[in-house]
Amino acid sequence: SARAEWLEQLTADRFARASIAAAEGLVSGVGFPIFVEGQVAGVVAVFSSRPRPETDGLLPLLTALGAPP
């Protein structure tokens, strides 16, 4: 999707590469799209080896960071 997403648990039903992440010891992550000229040009994804609950207000901030000026 073209919006920020927080995954407290990288499960196969929500994350296509869950088995690879588990093999590397990663259990949670957050990602947000980067837009260029109104199109998604890439995604910034950050992962953690510990469960990380969603932080209030962080997803809107990440969405704004990736949004076009």
Side-chain angles (χ1 to χ4, degrees):
S1 72
R3 60 182 174 81
E5 189 164 352
W6 192 288
L7 298 174
E8 189 171 339
Q9 293 292 322
L10 299 174
T11 57
D13 62 324
R14 299 203 54 215
F15 184 64
R17 296 176 182 91
S19 62
I20 297 168
E24 296 298 322
L26 303 173
V27 297
S28 63
V30 63
F32 62 95
I34 301 295
F35 288 89
V36 175
E37 296 181 1
Q39 300 291 319
V40 176
V43 174
V44 174
V46 180
F47 300 95
S48 177
S49 59
R50 295 185 293 176
R52 302 277 184 178
E54 187 173 330
T55 302
D56 287 340
L58 188 57
L59 286 181
L61 174 64
L62 294 175
T63 298
L65 283 174

